[in-house]
Amino acid sequence: MATDDDSPRATIGRALASDPNAIVNTSIELLELMANGLIGIIGEQGFETLLFRSAHRVNLAFPWLMFDPRARPADPEFNLLRSCFDGRDLAESTAAITLLFNTFIDILSLLIGEHLTMLILHAALGRRAGAEKNEQGAA
Amino acid sequence: MGKRVEIRRLVTGVPGFDELMGGGVPEFSFNLIAGTPGSGKTTLAHQMMFSLANPERRALFFTVLGEPPLKMLRYQQQFQFFDFDKLDNSIKFVNLAADMLDGDFDRVMARILDEVQEFGPSLVFVDSFRSVVQASHASEQGPADLQHFIQHLGMQMTSWQATTFLIGEYLQPDAEAGPVFTVADGILWLSQLVRGDSMVRKMQVVKMRGVSQKLGAHTFRIDDKGVQVFPRAVLQGPEVGKTVYGATERLSMGVPELDAMMGGGVPAGYSLLLVGPSGSGKTILATEFLAEGVRLGETGVIAAFEKSPNQLLSHKLNQLVQDGKVGVINTRTLDLSIDEILHDLVTMIEKTNAKRVVIDSLSGFELALSAIFREDFRESLYRLVAVLTGMGVTVLMTAELEDRYNMLRFSSYGNAFLADAIIMQRYIELAGQFRRVISVIKVRGSAHSKDVCFFDIDDGKTVIGERLANYSGVLSGQPVRGRRGLRVKKNLRIL
């Protein structure tokens, strides 16, 4: 069903739903793109603190999702996060990932406003779309 | 072709700021915006950036802090100048915290240059630069490296054809910031002064190469629109503040008998001080002065500092205001600067082409000022009067005079010398009644009546009565009729 809901949550939802069976890969890829955009603006520390806070809250509902993005050495490819999903069924993974993104987006929106959050999101998604287009072109 | 290089000015659009800078920020200059925490440095930088940045003149804003950029974005977007549409296309924020951690200047410089090369900005901001200086202390690199870094940065930015702003928190110019202060083409110093419960923001252009900037400290205000600077009124040249004494053009006060006492009205472009005790009718006479102007086709402005609009605006004045014939500057804020008031007055005078200005009253005016400005009230008032009369307007100022009857004063502030003309209202006691009397004390360069006359207020009008020709001792507040007065004197002599 077509929707014109362009809230941050809906935008993220649509991005994650693009390939339901590969939601872990899609979410990690999206997180990397958002990290690139956000770290440029609020710094690595700012991004990691936000993500840690989000993970901490998700951990209350999904105790198995436990990772600290502030840990060193840095983990720019989110391998620790990816490993949390090993052995988890798709439905549970989808629920946890959706909650993680929603929590992250909600905190970010609360701090810098929905408008600015959407600008950052669109920039990240735009880069993702651009990368996909390039891949298709190369193929 | 001229021999000198032309330095283009970037007009920031920050109200009052460009005037302060002699027309704008010099292009390709290397500037330091320094001051105490909370003095408005980042707000000023953002306001300039959002105003100046466009797809052809892009801006890079480096932050050298960890989490605070989140807060910076959170709070700065509350200002009206924060334009979301300029983010990404025209403005890019870059955080340098990670590069700054170990204080490696080469790494920081490399990162800055990479970003500059990639984004191609015309405007570069680094906030806060003090972090860079402090990082130099934390590392093995010393002041010499810092100086080299700053010189290198300045040179690089200039060669990249970028106008650069370093933003730093400094309580006062200190040794550690020395290299920055030396290398910078421009230094803006922002501060906050607190006296009593009021706080005033000040901005000073300490240095600005190649620009004829406005000297001294200037007040500024930050509200939801951002920064607004009120450049200190400086009297320049003989034409400003110059009043032609005994000017042939006279303005009627709206009271013909009083005009006659003044030798034909108040000369145009004069400052007139109307003094009197509470309730003597100063505001009523001031209103008649404005109403008469309106009747003759002249607009006016009244700055009301003492009374709320409802109290001030008599039906008569209210109608003039409603008709757009008289502009009202009404404020009861107690943290104003004289330059802010002057700015509002000049703006309204120019907007309405006003010929008559009333300041009601100097007592309220002084009270409306922040405590910091009360100390030099006389000097500030002198500048205000000079600027207004220099514009050709006639200024009527009311002043409450606490009459002690044992001494003759024309102003509570010793400000009478500022006025070109003085009218005094007083109470006297006569036959068990308070009676009002009026006299013209001075009209510079003009003959005027020396009479002391009774006057009354009737239906909102000043009605001049007979002169006190047969009385003596009027100034004592207890006049006696001439013959009786003589008897009293005789008795006194006998006694």
Side-chain angles (χ1 to χ4, degrees):
Chain A
M1 189 177 74
T3 173
D4 53 2
D5 182 357
D6 57 356
S7 66
R9 276 184 172 223
T11 307
I12 283 287
R14 283 194 295 274
L16 293 176
S18 60
D19 187 355
N21 293 320
I23 192 162
V24 173
N25 284 339
T26 308
S27 61
I28 298 291
E29 184 192 348
L30 192 56
L31 205 52
E32 281 178 11
L33 289 166
M34 283 176 60
N36 284 339
L38 271 173
I39 288 171
I41 298 174
I42 63 174
E44 204 170 359
Q45 197 183 352
F47 175 78
E48 288 170 355
T49 306
L50 276 182
L51 190 58
F52 172 72
R53 172 70 179 151
S54 309
H56 175 72
R57 289 177 67 171
V58 173
N59 179 254
L60 299 175
F62 300 93
W64 51 266
L65 197 147
M66 194 161 50
F67 80 109
D68 186 350
R70 302 169 306 173
R72 289 293 178 265
D75 180 20
E77 291 168 350
F78 301 102
N79 289 318
L80 279 174
L81 175 62
R82 188 188 294 273
S83 66
C84 293
F85 295 97
D86 289 346
R88 300 286 157 192
D89 66 48
L90 186 62
E92 197 178 16
S93 296
T94 303
I97 283 170
T98 305
L99 184 60
L100 179 67
F101 270 96
N102 285 347
T103 307
F104 184 85
I105 290 297
D106 287 351
I107 295 174
L108 191 60
S109 296
L110 201 64
L111 287 172
I112 63 171
E114 195 171 307
H115 192 89
L116 197 50
T117 302
M118 282 303 292
L119 285 176
I120 293 166
L121 257 182
H122 280 308
L125 294 173
R127 282 192 291 273
R128 182 166 175 256
E132 282 175 357
K133 206 173 177 181
N134 287 341
E135 280 173 18
Q136 284 166 3
Chain B
M1 196 173 73
K3 290 179 180 173
R4 294 183 179 87
V5 65
E6 188 188 344
I7 299 177
R8 216 156 61 98
R9 306 287 170 80
L10 303 178
V11 181
T12 66
V14 177
F17 181 71
D18 296 312
E19 188 186 337
L20 196 71
M21 299 287 287
V25 178
E27 193 176 36
F28 310 145
S29 57
F30 187 72
N31 306 289
L32 178 67
I33 304 175
T36 52
S39 57
K41 303 178 294 297
T42 301
T43 303
L44 176 66
H46 271 194
Q47 195 171 348
M48 283 196 281
M49 179 174 72
F50 277 98
S51 172
L52 289 168
N54 58 47
E56 284 74 44
R57 185 166 54 205
R58 306 208 289 178
L60 251 181
F61 197 99
F62 291 104
T63 51
V64 195
L65 300 163
E67 197 176 358
L70 267 175
K71 290 183 179 173
M72 179 191 76
L73 289 172
R74 176 177 169 79
Y75 295 119
Q76 289 295 317
Q77 65 178 272
Q78 305 305 319
F79 290 110
Q80 288 177 15
F81 59 73
F82 196 98
D83 185 351
F84 292 98
D85 294 336
K86 289 194 173 180
L87 297 176
D88 258 10
N89 268 342
S90 307
I91 292 171
K92 185 180 177 188
F93 287 95
V94 176
N95 188 272
L96 289 177
D99 305 272
M100 194 56 71
L101 280 178
D102 54 5
D104 183 344
F105 292 143
D106 293 337
R107 186 175 156 196
V108 174
M109 179 64 76
R111 176 79 196 281
I112 290 176
L113 294 182
D114 282 351
E115 293 286 351
V116 167
Q117 192 165 5
E118 188 187 328
F119 195 67
S122 302
L123 303 160
V124 175
F125 298 80
V126 182
D127 183 10
S128 138
F129 196 71
R130 187 168 170 80
S131 309
V132 179
V133 176
Q134 285 171 332
S136 76
H137 294 303
S139 72
E140 290 178 358
Q141 295 182 302
D145 294 304
L146 176 65
Q147 181 147 16
H148 172 75
F149 171 79
I150 292 160
Q151 280 173 333
H152 191 191
L153 181 64
M155 187 66 73
Q156 288 287 341
M157 290 303 120
T158 307
S159 64
W160 278 101
Q161 294 172 286
T163 307
T164 317
F165 299 87
L166 308 183
I167 299 147
E169 287 180 358
Y170 298 99
L171 298 177
Q172 56 186 10
D174 50 22
E176 66 180 10
V180 192
F181 282 79
T182 308
V183 172
D185 297 318
I187 300 173
L188 286 169
W189 193 266
L190 277 55
S191 58
Q192 300 175 97
L193 306 174
V194 178
R195 185 74 50 88
D197 291 336
S198 70
M199 190 269 282
V200 170
R201 297 179 190 276
K202 291 269 189 183
M203 183 184 295
Q204 187 184 357
V205 186
V206 178
K207 167 184 178 183
M208 192 56 65
R209 287 183 180 134
V211 169
S212 173
Q213 76 271 26
K214 283 215 169 189
L215 300 172
H218 310 267
T219 52
F220 70 101
R221 190 172 276 276
I222 299 178
D223 58 21
D224 57 356
K225 289 179 188 155
V227 170
Q228 181 172 14
V229 186
F230 304 97
R232 200 166 62 95
V234 179
L235 306 181
Q236 295 167 337
E239 70 279 1
V240 177
K242 184 181 174 185
T243 304
V244 181
Y245 293 118
T248 50
E249 190 192 347
R250 299 271 181 152
L251 273 61
S252 171
M253 296 292 296
V255 182
E257 297 83 358
L258 184 58
D259 290 341
M261 288 173 75
M262 298 186 76
V266 58
Y270 267 36
S271 54
L272 168 63
L273 185 64
L274 172 58
V275 297
S278 179
S280 64
K282 298 182 293 297
T283 302
I284 287 171
L285 184 53
T287 304
E288 288 180 284
F289 170 70
L290 289 172
E292 180 64 8
V294 171
R295 194 182 68 80
L296 297 169
E298 298 168 354
T299 47
V301 170
I302 181 166
F305 296 98
E306 207 164 80
K307 302 170 176 69
S308 69
N310 287 339
Q311 286 173 307
L312 169 78
L313 299 180
S314 62
H315 176 70
K316 188 177 187 177
L317 185 53
N318 191 37
Q319 195 57 51
L320 298 175
V321 173
Q322 294 295 320
D323 293 344
K325 304 293 185 188
V326 171
V328 180
I329 293 176
N330 178 59
T331 178
R332 290 167 73 81
T333 312
L334 300 182
D335 63 347
L336 294 170
S337 74
I338 209 138
D339 292 305
E340 193 170 349
I341 292 164
L342 181 58
H343 168 270
D344 290 351
L345 275 170
V346 168
T347 303
M348 190 167 278
I349 289 166
E350 287 175 344
K351 186 176 142 197
T352 61
N353 195 26
K355 299 292 178 207
R356 299 175 183 227
V357 171
V358 168
I359 297 172
D360 187 25
S361 68
L362 290 184
S363 325
F365 188 3
E366 189 187 17
L367 197 65
L369 293 175
S370 167
I372 293 160
F373 298 112
R374 289 180 203 155
E375 290 168 3
D376 54 359
F377 184 63
R378 256 170 39 129
E379 183 260 334
S380 301
L381 191 61
Y382 171 73
R383 286 191 290 119
L384 180 132
V385 169
V387 169
L388 292 181
T389 54
M391 294 174 74
V393 297
T394 307
V395 184
L396 188 157
M397 303 172 286
T398 68
E400 186 158 320
L401 189 69
E402 188 189 339
D403 212 335
R404 292 179 186 168
Y405 296 106
N406 58 358
M407 58 189 291
L408 191 59
R409 292 185 308 157
F410 302 120
S411 163
S412 305
Y413 322 93
N415 294 325
F417 80 97
L418 292 175
D420 300 313
I422 299 175
I423 295 174
M424 186 169 70
Q425 298 173 333
R426 300 185 88 191
Y427 289 119
I428 59 168
E429 182 265 316
L430 203 62
Q433 279 193 319
F434 269 125
R435 299 288 303 274
R436 294 183 173 101
V437 297
I438 191 167
S439 46
V440 177
I441 304 298
K442 134 180 163 184
V443 181
R444 205 168 263 163
S446 169
H448 61 87
S449 166
K450 308 293 187 290
D451 293 341
V452 180
C453 294
F454 286 114
F455 81 100
D456 237 319
I457 308 296
D458 185 17
D459 195 22
K461 288 182 179 170
T462 303
V463 180
I464 307 288
E466 63 173 326
R467 73 187 180 101
L468 282 73
N470 297 320
Y471 293 86
S472 61
V474 174
L475 295 181
S476 73
Q478 294 176 308
V480 289
R481 281 203 176 268
R483 289 183 181 177
R484 196 175 145 217
L486 286 175
R487 279 204 299 275
V488 171
K489 284 181 182 175
K490 271 185 187 173
N491 290 339
L492 284 172
R493 269 191 232 118
I494 292 166
L495 288 170

